[in-house]
Amino acid sequence: MKTPAPAKTNAARLLDTLGIPYELRPYEVDPDDLTAISVARKIGLPPEQVFKTLLVHTNTSAGGPAGMDHVFAVIPGDAELDLKKLAHAAGAKKAELVSLKEVEPLTGYIRGGVTVMGAKKPFPAFAEETIELFDQISVSAGQRGLQLLLAPADYLRAANATLADLTKGHAPA
């Protein structure tokens, strides 16, 4: 018996509209372990190839784009976001992670299912520059238990993301 195809999410529909090929990969959700490292293990990819999406509040400086108060940071599952690097990339004085209770009202997504694509508001997105090292990456499809696998260039186009050095502990290439 064939397993039914997972339901299409807003992110998958956006990729369809853009003519971008992708694979939907479901996995078993553990509500006590929503880490990208756990997801990577369940879908059979190394954690640095499974990207997590974080919502960040920035304090824009005079030089930054007007109204940029929230941005998405898309980083490898095994990495830690460097808020100073993100603030610099976003033209802001400082950046801090948005509290979990604010994530769903701002994005329409719950923790463990946040994605740039199809979010309630089109916040600017910044992706860790190592995303380009892979033939294929995985990001949340917009719900817990479902990942999108696609080419990094296609993801960057669909998410309208800007490449930047965003993580702690690695030397710039």
Side-chain angles (χ1 to χ4, degrees), residues 13-33:
R13 283 190 280 278
L14 173 69
L15 293 173
D16 289 342
T17 304
L18 295 171
I20 291 175
Y22 62 90
E23 176 193 335
L24 283 171
R25 190 168 293 178
Y27 65 92
E28 196 67 38
V29 177
D30 175 355
D32 297 323
D33 185 4

Side-chain angles (χ1 to χ4, degrees), residues 5 11-12 29 32 43 48 50 56-57 71 73 76-77 86 91 112 114 139-140 148 162 168-169:
V29 177
D32 297 323
I43 65 169
E48 64 272 14
V50 176
V56 179
H57 180 78
V71 298
L86 176 64
V114 177
V139 295
S140 175
L148 282 168
T162 302
K168 295 182 178 178

Side-chain angles (χ1 to χ4, degrees), residues 23-93:
E23 176 193 335
L24 283 171
R25 190 168 293 178
Y27 65 92
E28 196 67 38
V29 177
D30 175 355
D32 297 323
D33 185 4
L34 297 171
T35 65
I37 291 170
S38 168
V39 172
R41 192 173 48 249
K42 291 173 184 176
I43 65 169
L45 285 176
E48 64 272 14
Q49 220 168 321
V50 176
F51 283 72
K52 57 188 174 186
T53 304
L54 305 170
L55 186 62
V56 179
H57 180 78
T58 61
N59 164 339
T60 49
S61 63
M68 185 191 285
D69 56 351
H70 288 95
V71 298
F72 285 114
V74 182
I75 63 170
D78 61 349
E80 188 182 344
L81 178 63
D82 185 320
L83 291 165
K84 283 190 169 98
K85 287 180 180 178
L86 176 64
H88 178 75
K93 284 187 164 106

Side-chain angles (χ1 to χ4, degrees), residues 55-57 69-71 96-103 106:
L55 186 62
V56 179
H57 180 78
D69 56 351
H70 288 95
V71 298
E96 57 190 43
L97 286 171
V98 167
S99 72
L100 275 180
K101 69 178 188 302
E102 291 179 273
V103 171
L106 289 166

